[in-house]
Amino acid sequence: MARRAMSLIPHWSSRILSVELDGAPFYFSTREKHLGEEAPRVFREAQSDARLYSLLVCSGDKIRQAKLHGQLKDELLRELPPECHLSPMSSFVPNVRDSLLKGYFLKDHSESSSPTERLLRDLSRHDPVLVCSYLKREDLWTQHPWSGADSLTSDMAKDYYVVPSDAPECHPSTLNIINSDVFYSFEEAYEVLNKCGDIIPEAMSVLELLPSGVVARSKPDFPVIVIEGLDATGKTTLTESLRDALGASLLRSPPQCLSPMRACFDREPPLIRRAFYALGNYITAEQIGQEGMKTPVIVDRFWHSTAAYAIATAVSGQVCNLPAEGSEVYRWPSDLLQPSLVVVLTLDPEERKRRLSNRGQGETEEEKALDHNQLFRLKVETAYQRISGPTFVTVDASPSADQVLQQVLLLIRAKCHL
């Protein structure tokens, strides 16, 4: 039996499993005895000819686990018969931080089970992958954990009944957000990229650009104003106008020095990608500290964007699934410079889309998601508003650029005493 899977056995009965269907999680658990419950929805809706399996990546190393999770998906999509369908899946212990394991739920509609089971049998021999198959007996479904070696412990050798489970108090992804999707210290983000040096050469290039040491510091002599908002809300126009009106320095996050590495890290799993963007904020903070001793500083995006996009991506389903306001997930990193004021530009979705089309520019994958998924846009905006720390003001960006500029200048003069 895989060593990591062995370590999970004592908690197996207390774990809940979640399968993503149409972007929302559906929960079930396992039990040694059946008490007459109806089968969970994900099983009730399975077609009669479907064979069902689950795969969970169980490595104790966060970076290896993140890389293997992505590689596993690539391998399954490449090797499985076309009649197979994959859904994201996870396993977790409710309210236990860092207990979330990610994987995939597989429905196989192919004529023969041999190709799929041959692939899964091979995967189950790999240390960090736990494979389970599911069998229907009359109206009951059972789960059978596999082992690459034909020796299961007594606890795992038996089948378990699959039963419905209530939704947990908190969305399971929130258990692993801290220092996996959102980073709250320089050291935590640095450690991820430092461990990636052997497998991602660009990681060392990023580390060479970092300030020699980052500690919590007092604000610079001059105010620091961050402008946030989705693309096409007018950030570029506003930030450049503010620079000219205030005689300020203009900085952007992520900083220009990271541009050559962005494409590489955008292809990496969330853990590594988010650590890269987190460190970009610390590079920008160092630049702010230097410029803020001479002039006011305007910053085009900062930690709000890094955190809000990460939280909205990690937490599936409705806005109500986001961590509640006041959650530690929204806290500002204690060692990251806080701006004097954060202005978030908002815009009607249709007007924003019209402005984007007028640009004639291609959209990033995240922007495409925003345009086609109103729910994701709402989650990003909600996460923006819940972040604690610096003074935060929302400004309607639909008036003319000059009107928006004058409104923001009034805010700056009132709150930053310029």
Side-chain angles (χ1 to χ4, degrees), residues 343-417:
V343 175
V344 178
L345 300 179
T346 61
L347 195 62
D348 174 78
E350 290 304 314
E351 172 62 14
R352 197 181 71 87
K353 193 169 185 178
R354 184 189 66 78
R355 292 186 185 184
L356 275 173
S357 64
N358 288 344
R359 288 181 177 183
Q361 296 177 353
E363 295 176 280
T364 65
E365 289 303 313
E366 281 190 327
E367 283 302 319
K368 288 178 182 176
L370 286 168
D371 283 340
H372 294 97
N373 190 336
Q374 183 181 5
L375 178 58
F376 181 60
R377 185 166 57 245
L378 288 172
K379 289 196 291 186
V380 171
E381 292 175 344
T382 301
Y384 266 136
Q385 295 164 6
R386 291 180 179 176
I387 291 171
S388 61
T391 303
F392 175 100
V393 180
T394 299
V395 171
D396 179 11
S398 57
S400 70
D402 187 61
Q403 288 175 298
V404 174
L405 171 62
Q406 295 307 317
Q407 183 178 353
V408 174
L409 283 172
L410 286 173
L411 284 169
I412 293 172
R413 286 166 182 149
K415 295 182 179 295
C416 303
H417 309 294

Side-chain angles (χ1 to χ4, degrees), residues 161-181:
Y161 289 105
V162 176
V163 297
S165 178
D166 293 333
E169 181 179 346
C170 299
H171 189 283
S173 291
T174 63
L175 299 173
N176 283 38
I177 280 180
I178 294 176
N179 294 323
S180 289
D181 292 287

Side-chain angles (χ1 to χ4, degrees), residues 26-292:
F26 291 87
Y27 302 99
F28 66 95
S29 58
T30 58
R31 189 183 298 149
E32 293 184 34
K33 295 182 179 180
H34 197 273
L35 302 178
E37 300 96 334
E38 185 178 31
R41 175 179 168 179
V42 69
F43 294 92
R44 294 199 312 271
E45 295 182 354
Q47 297 179 16
S48 58
D49 64 339
R51 292 177 291 276
L52 307 181
Y53 309 89
S54 61
L55 303 92
L56 293 169
V57 179
C58 306
S59 172
D61 183 292
K62 285 173 62 173
I63 294 171
R64 186 183 183 210
Q65 185 166 323
K67 292 288 283 185
L68 284 173
H69 181 254
Q71 292 167 0
L72 178 60
K73 182 179 181 180
D74 292 342
E75 183 172 359
L76 291 171
L77 292 176
R78 184 176 63 248
E79 302 293 340
L80 285 171
E83 297 85 1
C84 292
H85 176 74
L86 281 181
S87 298
M89 181 178 189
S90 62
S91 167
F92 60 97
V93 181
N95 301 318
V96 175
R97 182 172 160 179
D98 292 331
S99 67
L100 185 73
L101 301 174
K102 294 183 179 180
Y104 303 97
F105 190 76
L106 170 60
K107 297 179 183 178
D108 181 9
H109 298 278
S110 56
E111 291 185 3
S112 170
S113 63
S114 298
T116 299
E117 298 222 347
R118 189 162 49 245
L119 173 64
L120 298 186
R121 187 65 64 183
D122 182 58
L123 288 171
S124 73
R125 295 187 179 96
H126 294 274
D127 189 13
V129 179
L130 174 62
V131 179
C132 296
S133 55
Y134 298 84
L135 181 65
K136 187 177 183 181
R137 297 172 178 169
E138 297 180 353
D139 290 328
L140 305 180
W141 284 88
T142 55
Q143 176 198 70
H144 178 68
W146 292 14
S147 172
D150 291 327
S151 58
L152 288 165
T153 68
S154 58
D155 281 341
M156 295 292 282
K158 55 196 173 190
D159 290 351
Y160 290 82
Y161 289 105
V162 176
V163 297
S165 178
D166 293 333
E169 181 179 346
C170 299
H171 189 283
S173 291
T174 63
L175 299 173
N176 283 38
I177 280 180
I178 294 176
N179 294 323
S180 289
D181 292 287
V182 183
F183 288 85
Y184 299 86
S185 74
F186 176 87
E187 287 76 13
E188 290 283 356
Y190 179 94
E191 182 181 3
V192 170
L193 257 62
N194 192 39
K195 287 183 177 179
C196 290
D198 293 338
I199 56 176
I200 307 173
E202 291 83 355
M204 300 312 296
S205 300
V206 174
L207 298 184
E208 290 170 1
L209 294 170
L210 295 173
S212 56
V214 179
V215 294
R217 65 194 69 193
S218 58
K219 292 185 184 298
D221 292 342
F222 289 85
V224 178
I225 298 97
V226 172
I227 307 299
E228 294 277 7
L230 308 180
D231 279 1
T233 52
K235 289 193 312 303
T236 300
T237 300
L238 177 60
T239 53
E240 291 176 352
S241 298
L242 288 171
R243 174 195 61 196
D244 297 340
L246 299 172
S249 298
L250 174 56
L251 300 173
R252 291 183 171 85
S253 186
Q256 185 65 33
C257 62
L258 293 185
S259 294
M261 286 81 90
R262 286 185 69 176
C264 166
F265 284 96
D266 282 344
R267 294 191 295 269
E268 292 297 331
L271 172 71
I272 299 170
R273 184 169 72 250
R274 302 303 183 187
F276 167 77
Y277 282 106
L279 290 174
N281 286 326
Y282 286 97
I283 295 175
T284 300
E286 187 75 3
Q287 296 172 348
I288 293 171
Q290 295 167 358
E291 294 299 317

